[in-house]
Amino acid sequence: MEAIRALNELPQNIADAIRGLFADPNSIWADLTMTLIGMILIIVVIVISALLLIVLERKIAGWGSQRPGPNRLGPRGWFQTIADALKLLGKEDLVPANADRFMFKIAPMFIFGIPILTLTIIPFGYAMTVIDLELGVFFYLGITSISTLALLMAGWSSNNKYSLLGGMRAVAQMISYEIPLIFSLLGVVMLTQTFNLTKIVEAQATLPFIFLQPLAFIIFLICGQAEVNRAPFDLLEADQEIIAGPFTEYTGLRWGLFYLGEYANLVAMCALATTVFLGGWQGPAVLPGWAWFWLKVGLLIFVSMWVRWTFPRIRIDHLMHLAWKVLLPLALLNILLTGLGIYIYQLVIGG
């Protein structure tokens, strides 16, 4: 127990030691330094996670499809991702002749920067939040909605009709699935009466909200899969229809940023689901809180990959039908049932 407690408090002790280097540990310079260190650590986590998840997804795809997957480079093919990254770094950076060069170049940066900002408000463990915002849920939803604009910028600026069509699909799909996703979180907000993610985790000390909000959890997972453009909802990149969607004209490192951004957004979405529905870093005292958090995130990522390599891509009309005529009514129903449950509970407690 003492060892687990020490591991739980280790990040906070390290933060206190760094702050102790300043004359005033609570000064603005100390706060800025801690925020900068936190951002750098998040970037490192995103890059390492993406490299590991690419190999893991190939292994899961091989397992699910009964084929070997990468098995040549390194032990059992684990160095394949490193070779792919080096290959991307060596490719020529091409920009179409009539493209909007400024928008074409900054669109990949938007995609990669969004998960960095969203992960800053996620509580990874006890006192392990880079920025503890009172309106954390609002901030997360507001920042992630920018990814729609980034994909549209990539498609429009490429001066390619297939890229433009992929960008317009991005707008239609992501806006459609954002609405039930937002409504799926309202049930938890109604139960906790707060938008602060740390307080939402603390409210799950005895019972994770997945048991109180099972319908909302399922809706969130489905919408999250669509928001990060993963199969069976990867209509933005339907190769047999629109080549590679808004990424058609991208090469080298810029295409790599889009690819990296997909996995970074997957990590961020699973981190939010863990925080809101699975109790965050709460768990039995056999492991430190931050270990429980990443185990839960890893489980959700595995489920996402399993779904991707199990179900075929659906048609665009079926995609929109699922969002507007199935998930949205179910999300509204969940809000109604949650409000009714809270009202009955207050009547019982008041009586």
Side-chain angles (χ1 to χ4, degrees):
M1 295 296 294
E2 291 297 328
I4 298 300
R5 186 179 297 110
L7 288 173
N8 262 327
E9 296 174 355
L10 179 62
Q12 183 62 40
N13 293 335
I14 294 175
D16 292 339
I18 296 174
R19 285 183 177 273
L21 300 175
F22 294 85
D24 181 6
N26 298 315
S27 66
I28 185 173
W29 296 111
D31 292 339
L32 286 175
T33 300
M34 294 307 301
T35 301
L36 180 61
I37 292 174
M39 297 281 283
I40 293 173
L41 289 176
I42 286 175
I43 294 174
V44 172
V45 167
I46 286 177
V47 173
I48 294 176
S49 298
L51 292 176
L52 292 175
L53 291 179
I54 291 171
V55 176
L56 180 62
E57 180 148 37
R58 288 171 171 172
K59 294 294 184 180
I60 292 175
W63 165 69
S65 305
Q66 296 185 349
R67 52 192 176 89
N71 60 358
R72 300 297 185 198
L73 191 59
R76 302 184 66 85
W78 284 94
F79 292 165
Q80 183 64 49
T81 305
I82 298 175
D84 290 342
L86 293 175
K87 180 186 72 172
L88 280 177
L89 290 174
K91 283 191 171 182
E92 184 179 2
D93 180 25
L94 299 175
V95 179
N98 296 319
D100 187 317
R101 300 181 67 87
F102 177 72
M103 286 193 178
F104 186 85
K105 291 181 178 181
I106 67 171
M109 301 177 190
F110 270 77
I111 291 293
F112 182 69
I114 287 169
I116 297 174
L117 293 176
T118 54
L119 286 173
T120 57
I121 63 168
I122 298 292
F124 299 103
Y126 174 74
M128 286 183 63
T129 309
V130 177
I131 304 173
D132 191 12
L133 290 180
E134 286 298 322
L135 295 176
V137 176
F138 269 171
F139 178 84
Y140 187 100
L141 296 173
I143 293 297
T144 52
S145 65
I146 300 176
S147 59
T148 303
L149 179 61
L151 291 174
L152 181 60
M153 288 167 55
W156 180 82
S157 63
S158 296
N159 192 37
N160 180 307
K161 62 182 179 181
Y162 297 107
S163 298
L164 179 59
L165 179 59
M168 295 305 295
R169 280 189 173 188
V171 173
Q173 174 178 326
M174 299 182 73
I175 289 179
S176 298
Y177 279 85
E178 276 177 8
I179 298 173
L181 184 142
I182 292 172
F183 285 164
S184 69
L185 297 174
L186 286 183
V188 173
V189 172
M190 292 167 66
L191 291 173
T192 58
Q193 298 294 301
T194 181
F195 292 101
N196 186 294
L197 292 175
T198 300
K199 294 178 181 177
I200 289 176
V201 172
E202 292 171 351
Q204 301 175 75
T206 56
L207 185 67
F209 285 142
I210 185 176
F211 297 107
L212 299 178
Q213 295 282 301
L215 179 58
F217 177 68
I218 294 173
I219 294 171
F220 184 90
L221 286 186
I222 296 174
C223 294
Q225 189 85 350
E227 283 292 295
V228 297
N229 307 318
R230 293 180 62 80
F233 304 106
D234 56 339
L235 268 296
L236 312 187
E237 198 176 349
D239 303 284
Q240 71 271 33
E241 301 174 27
I242 51 176
I243 307 179
F247 320 129
T248 301
E249 298 291 350
Y250 283 90
T251 59
L253 185 58
R254 298 190 197 280
W255 182 88
L257 285 177
F258 279 114
Y259 195 58
L260 188 63
E262 177 183 327
Y263 284 98
N265 280 310
L266 175 63
V267 172
M269 191 66 67
C270 292
L272 181 63
T274 297
T275 301
V276 174
F277 294 104
L278 300 183
W281 50 267
Q282 304 275 6
V286 295
L287 291 174
W290 47 266
W292 278 118
F293 177 86
W294 287 111
L295 281 175
K296 295 173 184 177
V297 170
L299 176 62
L300 292 180
I301 290 175
F302 171 76
V303 171
S304 173
M305 292 180 177
W306 196 354
V307 169
R308 175 179 181 178
W309 296 104
T310 301
F311 295 97
R313 180 185 290 129
I314 63 177
R315 281 183 359 209
I316 184 67
D317 55 328
H318 293 168
L319 180 87
M320 304 303 286
H321 179 276
L322 177 64
W324 290 103
K325 295 187 178 181
V326 179
L327 296 180
L328 181 57
L330 287 177
L332 294 174
L333 175 63
N334 182 73
I335 294 174
L336 175 63
L337 294 177
T338 302
L340 184 61
I342 293 173
Y343 177 73
I344 294 174
Y345 178 79
Q346 291 175 344
L347 284 181
V348 172
I349 294 300

